[in-house]
Amino acid sequence: MSRPTTNRDALSQFEQRLYDEASLDEPWNLLEEFSTLNRVSGSADEVAAADYVCDRLDATGVTYERYEPELYISQPHDATIETLNKEFESGPVKTVSFSDSTTVSGPVEYVGAAGGDLLANDNDPREPYHDVGDLTGKIALAKAGSLSIRAVSKLSEKGAIGVITIHKHDREPHNGIATPIWGGAPRYDERNKIPDVPIANVNSPDGETLMKWAESDVGLELELSTDLTTEWMECPVVVAEIEGEADPDNDDFALLHGHYDSWYVGITDNATGDAGLLEAARVFEEHSDKLERNLRVAWWPGHSTGRYAGSTWYADEFAQELAENCVAQVNMDSPGAKDATEYKDMSCWCPEAHDLVGEVIDDVTGAPYGEQFPFRAGDYSFDNLGITGFFMLSSSIPADIREQRGYHSVGGCGGNSDAWHVSTDTMDKAGEEELLRDIRVYLVSVARVLNADVLPFDHARNAAKLREAVKRYDDTAGDHFDFSPTVDRLDTLEAEIDAFQQAARAGEIEPVTANEAIKSLSRVLTRLYLVERGQFEQDSATGREPFPRYSVARKFEIVDGDEAKFVETQLTREQNTVISELERARDIVTDVTTGGA
C-alpha cells in the first residue's frame, strides 16, 4: 500500500515543530488504558476514563476544568425475541438508546426498507413508509440498516407496538440510538418526540429468517422485550484550556473536541480521538507562547447514549461566550483506523473551511481528499450558534478496499463495519502510523486557525455554495415559487465578500476588524447553510440538506393544488427571513469596508 508523503516545505517553522513533536507515547498509553474500559455514559468506567484524562493533563501541566452536569441518558441493557409459533434461537439482539423499556407481543409485518436519516443519500421527498398501511397491534420488521429516526416515528404513528430492525452485520447488530432530540433532553413541550415503542436490532442472518417467516402464509408471531435505564445521570465533562500568550488581549479561541464515551471499549470510536485530543493538548501547551489565540480541548460524555448530550450541555452553558469568541469548532472522531489512507468520503467541513482543510491534508499527508456536506451528527452541537466547523470524522479506508472486505456503510471507525458500534472495536482496529498522521493533520489545521493574521475562512465560497443549493430548490419548484430574490442577493453578497477578503489579505483592513467581520459572517452564513431553528436552540438529529430552511421546496415533487399552496406559504415566510439575514451579512461587509461610514 502506497504511503502518503509530507510536503515539509509547505509547513511553517512552527508547524514543523508541532509535526515533529507529535508522538504516539501518550496516545498509545491512553488506548491501552481505554481498552479495558466499557465507557457507557453514566457508568463507573466512564468516570474512570475521565479520571485518566484529568490525571494525564495534570502530569503534562495542562490547565483544565472538570464539570459534572446531569445529562439525560438512556443506557440499553438487554433485548430478547421469542417466536411464539416457530422454533428459533436468535443470535445477539440489541435494543437502542431511548427505546421504550417494555414487553410486547403480536404478529409481525415486514415493512421493507427505509434509508438512514444521517448516513444515507436518500432524496425521496416522501415520508418514510408512506406506502405502509395500518399496523395496529403489530410488530414492524424493517430491513433498514441504521433505521431512520423518522421511520420509527412513522411506524409508531401507524399503530406498530414494536419495531425490529435487520442490520447488515452478519455477526451482531450495531448499537444505536432512536431519539431525534439533539442532546437527549427534550424541551418540556417536545417530550412526546421520544419513541414510545420498544425497538430491537438483529443481525442479517436472523433478520432474513424472520422476514421469510413474516411473509409466509402462516405468518410470524413473537414477543419482544427490551430493558433500558433512561434518566438524568451525572457525567463528567473535561475541558482543557491552553491560553495563547503571543497576544494576551485576544479572547478568541478554537474548540477542539471529541467524545470519550463509547459502545464497549470503542477503540476507533472514539478512544483514538481521545488520544489525539490529549496529544494535541500536550503539544500546544508546550508552545502556548507562540499562539495568537486560545485553544480549548474538550472530552464529551453522552455522545452515544445521549445524542451528543455532553457537547450540547456545553453549547447551552457557554452559549454567549461561544457565540462571541469561538472562531472554529473542530471534531476529532474516529482518527487512526488501521488502513485508513485517505480523506475522501468520511471527512466533512463547512464550505468556508475548504481551502484550509484541503491545503493541510495536502501539506501534511499528500493523501486524496474530498469535501462532504456535514450531516447532522458527530457532536456538531455548535451549528445553531453559527460556528465554522471542520472535520467530524477523520481518515477512511479506501472504498475499493472496504468493498473487497465486504464492509457495509457505517458512520465512523474509518469505514470499518466490523468495528463501528460493535464489540470488536478493539486495539487491532487502530493503526499506529495512521493515528500519528491524523494527529498531525489536526495539529497543523488548528495551528493555522490559532495563528492566522486573518482567519482562513472563505465566506465568498460559502455564499456560492448557498446559491448552488437555492438553484437546486428553484429547479425543483419550477413555476410554484420564485427564489430569485435570494439568488440575486447571494450573487451580490458573494462579490462583496470576495472584495472584502482580498482587501483584508492585502492588509488594507486591520486584522482585528477583519476577523470580527469573518466571525459575524459565520454567524449568518454558516447558520443558513446548516440549520433551521434559532441560534440558541438545537435542530433535530435527523437528515438535512444544504440550506435546510428551503428544503421544503422538494415537496413540490409530490404535491400539487391546495397542498402546494401550503408549501408556497411556508417558503414565502422562510424567504423573508433569509433575505433579512442576507442583508445583515451585507451590512457586516459594508461596515468593515467603509469604516462604518
Side-chain angles (χ1 to χ4, degrees):
M1 185 178 297
S2 60
R3 304 291 185 189
T5 58
T6 304
N7 181 9
R8 194 171 181 83
D9 291 340
L11 304 180
S12 69
Q13 287 188 341
F14 179 59
E15 291 165 359
Q16 288 179 26
R17 291 184 66 184
L18 298 177
Y19 182 101
D20 291 341
E21 292 182 23
S23 164
L24 277 184
D25 294 343
E26 192 75 59
W28 212 259
N29 286 339
L30 182 145
L31 293 190
E32 290 177 344
E33 178 70 19
F34 278 22
S35 71
T36 67
L37 301 174
N38 289 281
R39 303 180 307 281
V40 174
S41 275
S43 69
D45 276 5
E46 182 187 60
V47 173
D51 290 343
Y52 179 86
V53 170
C54 292
D55 288 346
R56 296 314 304 156
L57 292 173
D58 283 331
T60 52
V62 179
T63 301
Y64 65 91
E65 292 285 344
R66 176 169 173 162
Y67 307 95
E68 304 285 347
E70 283 191 316
L71 307 177
Y72 197 53
I73 298 299
S74 181
Q75 296 175 336
H77 303 307
D78 192 24
T80 59
I81 291 173
E82 181 180 350
T83 53
L84 303 179
N85 62 339
K86 298 284 185 180
E87 291 291 331
F88 180 65
E89 185 174 340
S90 73
V93 181
K94 299 178 181 178
T95 189
V96 298
S97 292
F98 291 97
S99 162
D100 194 13
S101 184
T102 188
T103 297
V104 297
S105 60
V108 177
E109 181 169 330
Y110 177 64
V111 296
D117 268 335
L118 299 180
L119 303 177
N121 183 20
D122 182 6
N123 292 320
D124 192 339
R126 296 167 297 183
E127 294 295 332
Y129 296 117
H130 63 280
D131 54 350
V132 172
D134 183 30
L135 294 172
T136 300
K138 297 179 179 178
I139 296 171
L141 176 65
K143 190 172 185 178
S146 181
L147 184 64
S148 159
I149 297 164
R150 287 171 56 234
V152 172
S153 174
K154 292 303 175 183
L155 293 171
S156 178
E157 288 174 12
K158 291 176 180 290
I161 59 173
V163 177
I164 299 173
T165 302
I166 305 169
H167 277 227
K168 293 182 179 179
H169 203 284
D170 286 339
R171 187 187 66 256
E172 62 175 300
H174 302 288
N175 287 74
I177 187 168
T179 179
I181 304 297
W182 191 278
R187 290 160 48 108
Y188 184 81
D189 57 355
E190 292 185 346
R191 289 173 297 163
N192 63 344
K193 291 187 177 181
I194 296 175
D196 59 357
V197 295
I199 304 165
N201 299 331
V202 298
N203 63 27
S204 182
D206 285 354
E208 292 295 327
T209 298
L210 295 176
M211 181 176 66
K212 180 180 67 176
W213 288 341
E215 293 193 300
S216 70
D217 293 338
V218 177
L220 174 65
E221 294 187 9
L222 60 76
E223 180 180 272
L224 166 63
S225 294
T226 54
D227 179 25
L228 302 92
T229 300
T230 301
E231 61 187 26
W232 293 92
M233 302 182 192
E234 195 171 87
C235 304
V237 171
V238 180
V239 183
E241 180 87 27
I242 293 95
E243 293 190 11
E245 300 170 19
D247 185 358
D249 296 328
N250 193 340
D251 293 327
D252 283 352
F253 63 91
L255 176 64
L256 176 62
H257 60 95
H259 69 93
Y260 74 96
D261 67 305
S262 68
W263 296 114
Y264 311 102
V265 299
I267 292 301
T268 56
D269 186 13
N270 185 37
T272 50
D274 303 321
L277 293 173
L278 189 60
E279 183 66 358
R282 182 191 71 81
V283 172
F284 278 118
E285 177 63 30
E286 290 183 2
H287 298 284
S288 59
D289 60 323
K290 300 293 193 301
L291 300 180
E292 299 286 338
R293 297 177 178 85
N294 302 328
L295 174 65
R296 293 184 187 179
V297 183
W299 289 260
W300 311 127
H303 171 101
S304 297
T305 54
R307 186 62 81 185
Y308 323 116
S311 55
T312 302
W313 173 84
Y314 193 80
D316 290 341
E317 193 73 13
F318 297 92
Q320 302 297 334
E321 188 179 8
L322 287 160
E324 179 69 22
N325 296 121
C326 187
V327 297
Q329 61 91 7
V330 187
N331 192 41
M332 191 182 290
D333 197 334
S334 299
K338 191 171 182 59
D339 299 326
T341 58
E342 60 184 31
Y343 301 81
K344 291 183 66 174
D345 56 11
M346 301 198 77
S347 296
C348 54
W349 46 82
C350 292
E352 65 270 26
H354 178 74
D355 289 345
L356 165 71
V357 175
E359 288 170 7
V360 169
I361 292 172
D362 272 341
D363 295 345
V364 175
T365 75
Y369 67 90
E371 179 181 16
Q372 302 295 326
F373 175 69
F375 47 87
R376 182 69 173 144
D379 281 299
Y380 263 46
S381 299
F382 311 95
D383 290 346
N384 284 66
L385 292 171
I387 297 173
T388 295
F390 57 94
F391 294 123
M392 179 183 290
L393 299 170
S394 186
S395 58
S396 59
I397 301 166
D400 58 341
I401 295 177
R402 300 201 307 267
E403 184 176 358
Q404 290 170 14
R405 295 177 180 177
Y407 293 162
H408 53 269
S409 295
V410 293
C413 301
N416 186 340
S417 62
D418 199 36
W420 185 73
H421 292 197
V422 290
S423 60
T424 47
D425 186 10
T426 44
M427 285 291 288
D428 58 301
K429 303 302 190 299
E432 294 185 18
E433 181 178 306
E434 294 88 343
L435 180 56
L436 184 57
R437 178 207 61 218
D438 286 350
I439 290 172
R440 286 166 168 164
V441 167
Y442 277 94
L443 288 173
V444 173
S445 60
V446 170
R448 289 185 182 179
V449 173
L450 296 179
N451 280 1
D453 191 32
V454 174
L455 288 168
F457 302 130
D458 181 3
H459 283 297
R461 189 176 190 276
N462 206 346
K465 283 288 188 178
L466 286 167
R467 185 178 62 250
E468 289 176 13
V470 177
K471 286 186 174 180
R472 287 194 294 270
Y473 293 133
D474 192 49
D475 290 342
T476 300
D479 295 334
H480 287 291
F481 194 80
D482 179 15
F483 284 102
S484 63
T486 302
V487 174
D488 292 344
R489 281 167 174 79
L490 284 167
D491 284 338
T492 303
L493 181 61
E494 181 185 357
E496 291 172 340
I497 294 176
D498 187 57
F500 151 65
Q501 291 176 164
Q502 290 187 44
R505 291 165 189 152
E508 298 168 12
I509 300 173
E510 285 293 322
V512 171
T513 303
N515 289 329
E516 285 302 311
I518 291 168
K519 279 194 299 180
S520 297
L521 286 171
S522 290
R523 304 307 183 252
V524 176
L525 301 182
T526 301
R527 293 191 66 249
L528 287 177
Y529 192 64
L530 295 179
V531 306
E532 293 183 87
R533 301 185 74 163
Q535 185 176 14
F536 299 106
E537 299 179 77
Q538 290 287 350
D539 284 8
S540 295
T542 52
R544 67 179 176 194
E545 300 174 66
F547 218 139
R549 281 185 175 274
Y550 284 170
S551 62
V552 69
R554 296 186 56 245
K555 294 294 183 183
F556 285 128
E557 298 176 32
I558 58 171
V559 301
D560 54 20
D562 288 346
E563 288 293 304
K565 293 184 187 301
F566 291 116
V567 179
E568 292 169 26
T569 299
Q570 180 173 335
L571 284 171
T572 298
R573 294 170 182 170
E574 293 289 4
Q575 184 158 250
N576 287 334
T577 301
V578 167
I579 288 173
S580 177
E581 288 294 287
L582 294 177
E583 290 299 328
R584 184 158 73 94
R586 291 190 65 198
D587 289 343
I588 292 167
V589 176
T590 299
D591 285 348
V592 76
T593 53
T594 63

